[in-house]
Short mmCIF file of all heavy atoms in Angstrom, two decimals:
data_model
loop_
_atom_site.label_atom_id
_atom_site.label_comp_id
_atom_site.label_asym_id
_atom_site.label_seq_id
_atom_site.Cartn_x
_atom_site.Cartn_y
_atom_site.Cartn_z
N ILE A 1109 91.74 99.06 104.53
CA ILE A 1109 91.47 97.76 105.15
C ILE A 1109 92.40 96.72 104.54
O ILE A 1109 92.49 96.59 103.32
CB ILE A 1109 90.00 97.35 104.92
CG1 ILE A 1109 89.06 98.40 105.51
CG2 ILE A 1109 89.72 95.97 105.54
CD1 ILE A 1109 87.59 98.18 105.19
N LEU A 1110 93.11 96.01 105.40
CA LEU A 1110 94.00 94.94 104.95
C LEU A 1110 93.37 93.59 105.31
O LEU A 1110 93.25 93.27 106.49
CB LEU A 1110 95.38 95.07 105.59
CG LEU A 1110 96.39 93.98 105.22
CD1 LEU A 1110 96.72 94.00 103.74
CD2 LEU A 1110 97.66 94.12 106.05
N THR A 1111 92.97 92.84 104.29
CA THR A 1111 92.36 91.53 104.51
C THR A 1111 93.37 90.44 104.17
O THR A 1111 93.98 90.47 103.10
CB THR A 1111 91.12 91.38 103.61
OG1 THR A 1111 90.21 92.42 103.96
CG2 THR A 1111 90.43 90.05 103.83
N GLU A 1112 93.53 89.51 105.07
CA GLU A 1112 94.44 88.38 104.83
C GLU A 1112 93.74 87.09 105.23
O GLU A 1112 92.91 87.09 106.13
CB GLU A 1112 95.71 88.56 105.66
CG GLU A 1112 96.45 89.84 105.30
CD GLU A 1112 97.71 90.04 106.12
OE1 GLU A 1112 97.62 90.34 107.32
OE2 GLU A 1112 98.80 89.89 105.55
N MET A 1113 94.08 86.02 104.53
CA MET A 1113 93.43 84.75 104.88
C MET A 1113 94.30 83.57 104.52
O MET A 1113 95.29 83.69 103.82
CB MET A 1113 92.11 84.62 104.17
CG MET A 1113 92.26 84.50 102.68
SD MET A 1113 90.72 83.91 101.97
CE MET A 1113 91.28 83.54 100.34
N GLU A 1114 93.90 82.42 105.05
CA GLU A 1114 94.57 81.17 104.69
C GLU A 1114 93.50 80.12 104.51
O GLU A 1114 92.51 80.10 105.25
CB GLU A 1114 95.52 80.76 105.81
CG GLU A 1114 96.47 79.67 105.41
CD GLU A 1114 97.48 79.41 106.51
OE1 GLU A 1114 97.18 78.64 107.42
OE2 GLU A 1114 98.56 80.03 106.45
N GLY A 1115 93.68 79.27 103.52
CA GLY A 1115 92.70 78.22 103.32
C GLY A 1115 93.01 77.40 102.10
O GLY A 1115 94.05 77.58 101.47
N GLU A 1116 92.12 76.49 101.81
CA GLU A 1116 92.26 75.68 100.60
C GLU A 1116 91.21 76.15 99.60
O GLU A 1116 90.56 77.15 99.81
CB GLU A 1116 92.05 74.21 100.93
CG GLU A 1116 93.17 73.62 101.78
CD GLU A 1116 92.67 73.10 103.11
OE1 GLU A 1116 91.75 72.26 103.09
OE2 GLU A 1116 93.18 73.53 104.15
N ALA A 1117 91.05 75.38 98.52
CA ALA A 1117 90.17 75.79 97.44
C ALA A 1117 88.75 76.12 97.92
O ALA A 1117 88.16 77.10 97.50
CB ALA A 1117 90.13 74.71 96.38
N ASP A 1118 88.22 75.29 98.80
CA ASP A 1118 86.81 75.45 99.14
C ASP A 1118 86.58 75.79 100.60
O ASP A 1118 85.45 75.83 101.07
CB ASP A 1118 86.07 74.14 98.80
CG ASP A 1118 86.71 72.95 99.50
OD1 ASP A 1118 87.85 73.10 100.00
OD2 ASP A 1118 86.08 71.89 99.57
N ARG A 1119 87.65 76.02 101.34
CA ARG A 1119 87.49 76.23 102.77
C ARG A 1119 88.50 77.25 103.28
O ARG A 1119 89.68 77.17 102.97
CB ARG A 1119 87.71 74.91 103.50
CG ARG A 1119 87.05 74.82 104.87
CD ARG A 1119 87.43 73.51 105.52
NE ARG A 1119 88.87 73.45 105.75
CZ ARG A 1119 89.46 73.84 106.87
NH1 ARG A 1119 88.74 74.30 107.87
NH2 ARG A 1119 90.78 73.78 107.01
N VAL A 1120 88.00 78.22 104.06
CA VAL A 1120 88.89 79.21 104.64
C VAL A 1120 89.25 78.76 106.05
O VAL A 1120 88.36 78.48 106.85
CB VAL A 1120 88.20 80.59 104.68
CG1 VAL A 1120 89.04 81.58 105.47
CG2 VAL A 1120 87.98 81.10 103.26
N SER A 1121 90.52 78.70 106.34
CA SER A 1121 90.92 78.29 107.69
C SER A 1121 90.82 79.48 108.64
O SER A 1121 90.25 79.38 109.71
CB SER A 1121 92.33 77.70 107.60
OG SER A 1121 92.99 77.88 108.80
N TRP A 1122 91.37 80.61 108.24
CA TRP A 1122 91.16 81.82 109.03
C TRP A 1122 91.13 83.05 108.12
O TRP A 1122 91.68 83.02 107.01
CB TRP A 1122 92.21 82.01 110.13
CG TRP A 1122 93.64 81.99 109.67
CD1 TRP A 1122 94.51 80.95 109.76
CD2 TRP A 1122 94.38 83.06 109.04
NE1 TRP A 1122 95.73 81.29 109.23
CE2 TRP A 1122 95.69 82.59 108.80
CE3 TRP A 1122 94.07 84.38 108.67
CZ2 TRP A 1122 96.67 83.37 108.19
CZ3 TRP A 1122 95.05 85.17 108.07
CH2 TRP A 1122 96.33 84.65 107.83
N LEU A 1123 90.48 84.08 108.62
CA LEU A 1123 90.37 85.35 107.89
C LEU A 1123 90.68 86.47 108.88
O LEU A 1123 90.16 86.47 110.00
CB LEU A 1123 88.94 85.51 107.35
CG LEU A 1123 88.57 86.88 106.79
CD1 LEU A 1123 89.34 87.16 105.50
CD2 LEU A 1123 87.07 86.96 106.52
N VAL A 1124 91.53 87.40 108.47
CA VAL A 1124 91.79 88.58 109.28
C VAL A 1124 91.39 89.80 108.47
O VAL A 1124 91.89 90.02 107.37
CB VAL A 1124 93.27 88.68 109.71
CG1 VAL A 1124 93.55 90.01 110.39
CG2 VAL A 1124 93.64 87.52 110.64
N VAL A 1125 90.45 90.57 108.99
CA VAL A 1125 90.02 91.80 108.35
C VAL A 1125 90.52 92.96 109.21
O VAL A 1125 90.12 93.09 110.37
CB VAL A 1125 88.48 91.86 108.23
CG1 VAL A 1125 88.05 93.15 107.53
CG2 VAL A 1125 87.96 90.65 107.46
N GLY A 1126 91.43 93.76 108.65
CA GLY A 1126 92.09 94.79 109.45
C GLY A 1126 91.85 96.19 108.96
O GLY A 1126 92.55 96.68 108.07
N PRO A 1127 90.86 96.88 109.52
CA PRO A 1127 90.66 98.29 109.18
C PRO A 1127 91.56 99.20 110.00
O PRO A 1127 91.80 98.95 111.18
CB PRO A 1127 89.18 98.54 109.54
CG PRO A 1127 88.90 97.57 110.64
CD PRO A 1127 89.82 96.38 110.43
N GLY A 1128 92.06 100.24 109.35
CA GLY A 1128 92.83 101.27 110.04
C GLY A 1128 92.15 102.60 109.80
O GLY A 1128 92.12 103.08 108.67
N VAL A 1129 91.60 103.18 110.86
CA VAL A 1129 90.88 104.46 110.73
C VAL A 1129 91.73 105.57 111.32
O VAL A 1129 92.11 105.52 112.50
CB VAL A 1129 89.52 104.41 111.47
CG1 VAL A 1129 88.74 105.71 111.22
CG2 VAL A 1129 88.70 103.20 111.06
N ASN A 1130 92.03 106.57 110.51
CA ASN A 1130 92.74 107.74 111.00
C ASN A 1130 91.76 108.57 111.82
O ASN A 1130 91.01 109.37 111.30
CB ASN A 1130 93.27 108.57 109.83
CG ASN A 1130 94.21 107.78 108.94
OD1 ASN A 1130 94.96 106.93 109.42
ND2 ASN A 1130 94.16 108.05 107.65
#
Side-chain angles (χ1 to χ4, degrees):
I1109 301 173
L1110 178 64
T1111 300
E1112 300 180 288
M1113 66 165 192
E1114 193 174 86
E1116 291 120 55
D1118 56 345
R1119 203 184 64 91
V1120 171
S1121 152
W1122 55 259
L1123 169 68
V1124 172
V1125 181
V1129 185
N1130 301 325

